[in-house]
Amino acid sequence: MFNVPILNLVWFILVGVLFTGYAILDGFDLGVGTLHLFTKTDAERRVMLNSIGPVWDGNEVWLVTGGGALFAAFPEVYASVFSGFYLAFILLLFALIFRAVAIEFRSKMEMGWWRQMWDVGFSIGSVLSALLIGVALGNIALGVPLDANHEYAGTFLGLLRPYPLLLGVTTVALFAMHGAIYGVLKTEGKLHEKLRSWAKRSVAIFVVCYILVTLATLLWVPHMTETLGAYPWLYVVAVFNALAIANIPREINLGRDFRAFLSSCLAMVALMTLFGIGMFPNMVFSMPSPENSLTVINAASSQKTLWIMLIIAIIGVPLVLTYTAVIYRIFRGKVRLGPMSY
Amino acid sequence: MDVLTLARLQFAFTVGFHYLFPPLSIGLGLLLVIMEGTWLATGKPIYHQMARYWTRIFGLIFAIGVATGIVMEFQFGTNWSVYSRFVGDVFGSALASEGIFAFFLESGFLALLLFGWDRIGPKLHFFATCMVALGAHFSAVWIIVANSWQQTPAGYHLVETAAGRWRAEITDFWALVFNPSTVDRLTHTVLGAWQAGAWMVVSVSAWYLLKKKHTDFAGRGLKIGLIVAVVASLLQLVSGHDSAVGVSRNQPAKLAAFEALYKTGPAPLWLFGWVNEKEQEVRFGVAIPRGLSLLVSGNPNEPVTGLDKIPEGDRPPVNVVFQTYHAMVAIGMGLIALSIFSLIQLLRGAIYEQRWLLGLLVLAVLGPQLANQLGWASAEIGRQPWIVYGLLRTADAFSKTVGAQPIVASLVLFSLVYALLFAVFIFLLNHKIQHGPEESDLPPTTPLQQEPRADV
């Protein structure tokens, strides 16, 4: 459809896969963090923390590897976005740092104030991470001022426009929903029932946000829907997305928690696919000078590098998926607090 | 201050702080393998207790390593965008390999190492421990490959992009991976990390012996730690020598700065001294005449390239490189002597009464940490004024779109947050050490027999 070398297309998809993997996996970690302060007792909070305890840092590696792949495959995007969104990314880093160390530090001491402090750090870090990730995606979709050298020519406050902020809030809602469903899977008793009701509520909040984002995209970001308009069969993805989302409350009501979680994962895959379809072949839209947009061609590394990295990915990714699956299998089931727990 | 200085300060500060932790993860990873392996081989419960005790400390260190490490990966883009555009084609593949081959392995199996004791069998758990240690070592491999390419670029050519900029592109992946300094620098770094881990175990064990607490636990820990320390520090002597010879071949300006050699010719080896950069001479120093010539070429009369052969604009700052390098060497030598002497005393059974020696061993944990930091400082400052040796200058490589104010803001925030992290880390580490090994860790646990707890 566009005249794009196959390797550039493959890496556009692979970078997308890595970030989708990140959204699905760390998404529920950040969602659990978002809901964390709604639980009141220490035992409940420990169950929340330990539901993600063994897996959260493996999940964060998807972001690290996604960032590495972006650097390697599309260095111009990495350089322009990270330097352009400087303060936003620094804030994201602090949010991720607090999230990470709060998990590790919180339960090491008994004092109430100590635990409360890290609970707040964990929760704010999680919400802020989700928000900033959404804001960044909103900006590259809406378009940011890039000059002919692909350098960002705007300001920090210029990033906080309504559309990106709306996408940020939507991301928080999406992760909260995803985290609530994950929590339903991992808990039992009273907390389980609480999370079940939060899951239903957060689905509703997410659906409202999602409808608003769709409307805003149609109104303000028409270039995100051009490809869909040109190739109407791609609406299959949008329909699939709607079905996956609609299926979540249904499965929760039927008590099929794992299927609800699976639906939530599939909805995220569909959302990221729609985002990718809207962006392609662009990676960062430039506004007001669209000719300066970063694309899968002008932002990419050499064909040789893309080829070498593809070999690395073909060797590495199946290994990663295999032992990740085995580890999730070993830690399946409800959370049990033990002597090594957080 | 200008943007360049601020960006360099921020990178130096954040990488210096981060680098307190990965060497400990790598070194403790190896020690965990040895401890748990000894338990499997001997069946003695005390090694099981030891492995679990150090696993908890490993978890704490690892978490801060991850949290501060992600900053480094983002920072190439945020503060060094010109550099990122220039090296992305080359550097990026090493970084992506690090994610795929090292970080996933490390963090995935870490879940089993930390939380798998009661869920999987001892052999599978040991396998997980080995994979975590292996992952930690792999992460060193790829980041050192990338960093070594900055020191001694190979396997690339320069290409002009459509935007009219020049960048390095891969021509030969293996030449890039095994660029002339990779093997020397990787060996040197990993041995430094083993020492960091070993001395951590030595220090904590010595402290217990000093307080006459957990003496059996501490005595055995001390033995394992000291054996690894002796082996690693002796190997480090060989590796350090090879690295210096490599630097003399590949980066003569850096070697000249290491030894403050201004004039090309048969060169002395300084033991210590103070460089007067204006007068281009070393003051208050003691040197072995022709020692440097002898060391790098085996021939005392062989001339060594001095800074006079390097254009003035391409010379690194000399005194700071000289001091950091010599301090690293001095600490390394001291650690060799201390580890061998202490091991002999331990094997004789005399160390338990030598309180001064135990006290020294408690403090010696700072030695490898200092040497690791100082060594990196001299390697990186010695590369200046280049960010990619001979290809791209540091002064040209920073992000042009980021002003001084945002960097000051982030630098202040990093300082505050890292100070807090460090304080909490030391507090928790101290807490764990004071608490000591758990009696309940003595009997080995069997998989999946733990009863669900009633309080959940």
Side-chain angles (χ1 to χ4, degrees):
Chain A
M1 59 177 93
F2 299 96
N3 195 12
V4 166
I6 183 80
L7 277 171
N8 297 52
L9 173 64
V10 166
W11 272 101
F12 180 79
I13 294 170
L14 280 178
V15 169
V17 167
L18 286 169
F19 283 114
T20 307
Y22 176 70
I24 288 176
L25 293 172
D26 210 25
F28 66 68
D29 299 333
L30 296 174
V32 166
T34 303
L35 300 171
H36 186 69
L37 289 183
F38 292 108
T39 53
K40 295 301 176 201
T41 67
D42 187 61
E44 282 186 352
R45 289 188 174 176
R46 284 192 67 199
V47 172
M48 293 288 273
L49 277 179
N50 284 288
S51 71
I52 63 169
V55 292
W56 71 268
D57 62 2
N59 297 342
E60 196 174 279
V61 171
W62 286 79
L63 178 67
V64 174
T65 305
L70 191 67
F71 190 3
F74 303 103
E76 294 285 320
V77 174
Y78 172 80
S80 297
V81 172
F82 281 58
S83 63
F85 300 180
Y86 185 81
L87 282 176
F89 274 110
I90 297 288
L91 276 179
L92 175 60
L93 287 175
F94 284 118
L96 288 171
I97 288 175
F98 270 102
R99 193 273 298 247
V101 297
I103 298 173
E104 182 63 36
F105 289 167
R106 179 196 181 275
S107 301
K108 295 273 189 293
M109 306 297 293
E110 298 284 345
M111 299 87 84
W113 62 269
W114 171 275
R115 293 192 166 183
Q116 182 67 23
M117 176 175 82
W118 294 111
D119 282 335
V120 171
F122 174 54
S123 207
I124 292 181
S126 301
V127 175
L128 196 60
S129 301
L131 183 76
L132 287 166
I133 289 167
V135 169
L137 288 179
N139 273 298
I140 64 169
L142 180 57
V144 290
L146 293 179
D147 66 18
N149 286 320
H150 300 155
E151 299 278 18
Y152 177 66
T155 61
F156 173 62
L157 289 177
L159 299 173
L160 304 177
R161 293 168 292 174
Y163 181 78
L165 283 174
L166 178 61
L167 213 60
V169 172
T170 307
T171 309
V172 175
L174 172 67
F175 287 174
M177 170 186 89
H178 195 53
I181 301 168
Y182 177 79
V184 169
L185 267 182
K186 300 296 285 185
T187 58
E188 47 199 351
K190 258 182 166 168
L191 182 58
H192 178 79
E193 291 312 315
K194 257 191 228 175
L195 279 161
R196 186 179 285 280
S197 75
W198 293 346
K200 286 184 205 162
R201 255 181 274 176
S202 55
V203 173
I205 297 172
F206 169 68
V207 168
V208 171
C209 290
Y210 182 59
I211 292 169
L212 287 176
V213 166
T214 308
L215 290 176
T217 307
L218 291 171
L219 275 173
W220 293 328
V221 204
H223 53 252
M224 282 295 281
T225 54
E226 270 170 20
T227 308
L228 275 179
Y231 302 90
W233 59 270
L234 288 172
Y235 274 105
V236 171
V237 184
V239 173
F240 178 78
N241 185 24
L243 288 176
I245 296 171
N247 191 42
I248 296 170
R250 179 173 159 263
E251 299 290 2
I252 292 179
N253 282 331
L254 290 172
R256 295 191 297 215
D257 301 338
F258 185 69
R259 286 193 181 193
F261 183 69
L262 216 55
S263 279
S264 183
C265 295
L266 290 174
M268 288 169 115
V269 172
L271 282 167
M272 288 297 278
T273 309
L274 282 174
F275 188 80
I277 290 170
M279 293 298 293
F280 189 80
N282 294 285
M283 298 198 71
V284 182
F285 276 111
S286 170
M287 283 291 156
S289 317
E291 70 279 7
N292 294 338
S293 293
L294 287 163
T295 69
V296 292
I297 296 174
N298 70 15
S301 283
S302 62
Q303 294 293 304
K304 175 139 185 147
T305 287
L306 296 180
W307 180 237
I308 291 169
M309 293 214 321
L310 187 60
I311 296 172
I312 293 172
I314 289 171
I315 299 170
V317 172
L319 278 173
V320 170
L321 291 179
T322 308
Y323 60 68
T324 304
V326 170
I327 288 160
Y328 269 87
R329 207 179 138 65
I330 290 174
F331 288 102
R332 74 189 179 280
K334 307 292 183 187
V335 177
R336 297 263 186 284
L337 296 182
M340 299 296 268
S341 296
Y342 287 121
Chain B
M1 260 188 276
D2 59 353
V3 172
L4 173 64
T5 314
L6 286 167
R8 287 185 68 186
L9 257 180
Q10 177 165 296
F11 200 92
F13 174 66
T14 49
V15 81
F17 186 78
H18 172 61
Y19 201 66
L20 296 172
F21 304 100
L24 286 174
S25 301
I26 295 170
L28 279 182
L30 174 73
L31 278 127
L32 283 178
V33 169
I34 295 173
M35 289 167 183
E36 203 175 339
T38 311
W39 172 56
L40 282 180
T42 64
K44 286 185 184 157
I46 194 146
Y47 290 106
H48 179 263
Q49 186 189 34
M50 199 183 286
R52 287 189 73 143
Y53 173 86
W54 285 103
T55 299
R56 289 198 185 90
I57 293 184
F58 183 89
L60 181 64
I61 290 165
F62 190 88
I64 307 186
V66 171
T68 54
I70 197 165
V71 173
M72 303 322 301
E73 198 212 15
F74 278 35
Q75 205 168 177
F76 298 121
T78 53
N79 290 84
W80 302 94
S81 66
V82 174
Y83 163 81
S84 298
R85 292 180 211 278
F86 182 80
V87 301
D89 196 278
V90 170
F91 197 90
S93 3
L95 222 59
S97 307
E98 181 161 35
I100 288 191
F101 293 127
F103 292 155
F104 275 122
L105 194 68
E106 212 177 357
S107 61
F109 282 98
L110 181 75
L112 293 179
L113 171 61
L114 292 182
F115 303 102
W117 292 97
D118 310 318
R119 284 181 177 258
I120 51 178
K123 283 193 181 134
L124 186 55
H125 190 273
F126 180 61
F127 176 74
T129 308
C130 293
M131 287 302 110
V132 171
L134 192 68
H137 284 76
F138 279 170
S139 67
V141 171
W142 290 104
I143 199 65
I144 300 283
V145 163
N147 183 275
S148 296
W149 186 84
Q150 277 177 266
Q151 309 278 352
T152 52
Y156 72 99
H157 63 161
L158 292 179
V159 174
E160 193 175 5
T161 64
R165 280 190 288 255
W166 289 87
R167 72 173 182 189
E169 289 187 357
I170 295 185
T171 53
D172 180 343
F173 179 71
W174 294 110
L176 179 164
V177 170
F178 292 104
N179 67 69
S181 64
T182 299
V183 175
D184 282 339
R185 302 178 78 251
L186 179 62
T187 321
H188 202 52
T189 307
V190 168
L191 289 170
W194 288 3
Q195 284 175 288
W199 284 102
M200 174 107 189
V201 175
V202 167
S203 169
V204 174
S205 305
W207 193 82
Y208 287 149
L209 291 179
L210 208 53
K211 298 281 166 199
K212 302 203 188 309
K213 287 197 294 194
H214 322 297
T215 39
D216 188 28
F217 176 88
R220 290 169 196 265
L222 189 63
K223 190 168 173 185
I224 292 177
L226 279 176
I227 289 172
V228 175
V230 167
V231 172
S233 59
L234 286 174
L235 289 174
Q236 192 66 295
L237 198 62
V238 181
S239 154
H241 172 71
D242 283 351
S243 291
V245 174
V247 171
S248 79
R249 207 179 311 123
N250 302 312
Q251 293 174 290
K254 189 195 276 188
L255 186 80
F258 279 167
E259 289 294 342
L261 181 65
Y262 283 97
K263 263 212 206 74
T264 303
L269 185 75
W270 291 98
L271 299 179
F272 58 88
W274 190 261
V275 185
N276 184 330
E277 294 190 21
K278 220 177 197 170
E279 304 294 327
Q280 306 203 337
E281 60 179 14
V282 181
R283 297 225 176 124
F284 320 115
V286 172
I288 304 168
R290 309 202 168 205
L292 185 62
S293 294
L294 185 66
L295 270 182
V296 298
S297 65
N299 172 3
N301 298 318
E302 187 78 16
V304 178
T305 309
L307 289 165
D308 54 347
K309 289 279 171 68
I310 313 290
E312 222 164 297
D314 295 350
R315 293 179 195 168
V318 179
N319 193 33
V320 59
V321 175
F322 180 97
Q323 298 306 341
T324 48
Y325 174 76
H326 282 86
M328 172 195 75
V329 173
I331 294 171
M333 295 297 174
L335 289 174
I336 293 176
L338 183 60
S339 59
I340 293 177
F341 179 73
S342 306
L343 186 60
I344 293 171
Q345 296 302 315
L346 177 69
L347 294 178
R348 287 177 55 221
I351 203 166
Y352 301 98
E353 302 311 318
Q354 289 164 318
R355 296 184 61 83
W356 65 272
L357 183 56
L358 290 173
L360 196 58
L361 290 181
V362 172
L363 293 177
V365 68
L366 299 175
Q369 287 288 355
L370 277 172
N372 284 336
Q373 296 276 337
L374 291 164
W376 270 109
S378 84
E380 301 290 89
I381 302 171
R383 188 194 61 226
Q384 304 300 329
W386 303 101
I387 194 165
V388 180
Y389 195 66
L391 296 180
L392 182 68
R393 284 172 193 275
T394 312
D396 297 328
F398 61 89
S399 302
K400 302 293 183 290
T401 51
V402 182
Q405 277 170 345
I407 308 183
V408 171
S410 56
L411 188 52
V412 169
L413 274 174
F414 275 121
S415 312
L416 292 174
V417 171
Y418 281 11
L420 173 75
L421 280 192
F422 192 68
V424 174
F425 170 71
I426 294 295
F427 174 72
L428 288 177
L429 185 65
N430 183 50
H431 182 75
K432 278 181 189 295
I433 294 171
Q434 304 287 347
H435 186 74
E438 302 272 356
E439 289 304 313
S440 60
D441 283 348
L442 270 174
T445 40
T446 46
L448 293 174
Q449 282 186 351
Q450 213 190 7
E451 287 300 308
R453 296 259 290 250
D455 56 348
V456 181

